[in-house]
Amino acid sequence: MYARDNLSDAYQSQEQPTPAQVNAAVDAFRMLSDGTRLRLMWLLSSGEKDVNSLAEAIGVPRPSVSQHLAKLRLAGLVDTRRDGRRVLYRARDSHVRALIAEALFHAGHEVSGLPGHD
């Protein structure tokens, strides 16, 4: 049995999400529906990075990366920290990191044809 099986039972017994929760989730998914932003979030899930490192890693111009990061930050998916003149970005919390990981693990199963986990 997978640990997630126990979690899914817990979620099924909870009350339905509020309209505010649904709207917040839709907004988060909307932000993550862009390939560049999803790739940025994958990188930020493993730790702090600056704009230059992110731009180099995904092969996108720095101004474009900055714009995407600003949107992710406004959506509450990314936090920042100053280190001298540099601004370091990271995924906001463990919920965001888990969301990114699960979305991409699911995609890996879809692309490779591996069966899902139940």
Side-chain angles (χ1 to χ4, degrees):
M1 179 191 271
Y2 292 98
R4 282 184 226 140
D5 289 344
N6 294 333
L7 289 176
S8 65
D9 291 341
Y11 286 122
Q12 289 174 0
S13 67
Q14 290 181 351
E15 294 180 23
Q16 288 195 24
T18 66
Q21 289 171 315
V22 169
N23 289 337
V26 167
D27 289 343
F29 283 123
R30 188 176 293 121
M31 280 294 113
L32 298 173
S33 69
D34 179 89
T36 299
R37 288 194 288 267
L38 186 57
R39 290 168 62 206
L40 289 170
M41 290 303 302
W42 175 257
L43 292 169
L44 295 174
S45 291
S46 65
E48 293 180 322
K49 296 185 179 33
D50 65 11
V51 176
N52 291 330
S53 299
L54 291 166
E56 184 178 322
I58 64 171
V60 174
R62 186 184 183 285
S64 179
V65 169
S66 291
Q67 289 177 355
H68 285 295
L69 289 169
K71 289 178 183 179
L72 291 166
R73 188 171 172 217
L74 285 173
L77 298 172
V78 169
D79 279 337
T80 61
R81 177 179 72 85
R82 281 212 169 269
D83 181 31
R85 294 178 50 191
R86 292 184 327 152
V87 176
L88 298 173
Y89 295 84
R90 68 178 181 274
R92 182 175 180 182
D93 56 33
S94 63
H95 294 291
V96 172
R97 290 188 297 274
L99 178 64
I100 300 304
E102 288 298 324
L104 290 170
F105 292 150
H106 170 74
H109 282 272
E110 291 295 314
V111 170
S112 69
L114 290 172
H117 305 277
D118 280 332

